[in-house]
Amino acid sequence: MTLSKLWHDPLGFLWQLVRTRPVRLVFYLIVTAALFPSARFILAWVLLLSLAVLWTRDYRRTRSPKILYLAGVFVVIVIGYGIARMDVGRVDELRLASNPWGAGISLVADGSYTGRSEGFRGNITVRVDVKDHRITKVETLEYPDLISVEDNEIAAFRRELVDKGRLEPPAQPEMYRGATVTLTGYANAVESALSKGIAGYPQYSIFSRLFLNTFIGRAPSRVTLNALAILFAAFIVFEYALQSMLTPGTGRCINCYNCASCVGACPVKEAEGVQMPMGLVLLARLGDYDRVLELSKYCVGCGRCAAKCPIGNSGPMVISAAFMASREQKKERLKEQKESA
């Protein structure tokens, strides 16, 4: 039925996906992971754990097999990670015998090579010229990092590379951590460039590079974590606004602070184990409109809840929205039944 709808009404299918909150949240995670590679590991685990909690609950209620599929995906990821780490360990061991550090410059053929590594605030790209197995020139192509380090420590490191003609570990500056990370990243970029001039230099397999870059990315930095916090706050605000626009007149567009002020004002207060009318709001937001309609018989329509609610919600408003949403759901189900028939 889903494939049929995708084939006959692709725009309607996409619109239905956009109206689904879990799909939107997954989309947010994917966009964030694309923008911040160093956050992929965190986001991947957030997604897996969230799905595990939701689908475990579904399995207990309805014996849905989705959690079993997720377990299979998790096993595949673990096996893939093990294979990738074995390949990385093997390549790193081989590189010890043919790295361009120190006397290893004799293995580097003459030419101009470009290398990249990660600094404190982003990627550092350099170009290194080699002639007669000596470094003759080092040029910075990309450097979005600490300017003070570029003007002092890195400038001195470049002069040292040209004077010695080979790559030696840089002297670590007596400064804060960012300078150390930046200088180390610059040296790693030079190493990456020189390694391209070594014939038969061991390389990671395509699988290892794709797998680790997709699921692991880079080590999260303070800048990335701060950006994630800002994005999270922005997405929450955007999500509530979008939810209200996508589902007008339904319970899903109703916000609730869970302050229970309405419960204190309501003459009923509780019905069938549900706090009134706050429970109606929560049920409506979960999409359980039929349950809201079942409990609507206890609402006396006095409006005291609206007077106490900081947002202005009221029991009658929630019941009305649930009635409209329930009717729309029934129309959708009838339409799907006709299409599948």
Side-chain angles (χ1 to χ4, degrees), residues 287-341:
D288 194 354
Y289 305 124
D290 293 336
R291 180 61 173 159
V292 174
L293 296 180
E294 290 175 3
L295 295 171
S296 63
K297 60 187 177 184
Y298 296 103
C299 178
V300 298
C302 63
R304 295 179 184 176
C305 49
K308 290 291 184 179
C309 179
I311 305 176
N313 291 334
S314 69
M317 181 191 72
V318 176
I319 294 170
S320 176
F323 175 77
M324 298 294 294
S326 178
R327 188 171 63 177
E328 290 297 323
Q329 280 186 345
K330 291 177 181 178
K331 288 182 180 179
E332 287 290 332
R333 285 197 291 265
L334 289 175
K335 184 178 178 181
E336 291 178 357
Q337 289 175 1
K338 290 180 180 179
E339 291 177 353
S340 60

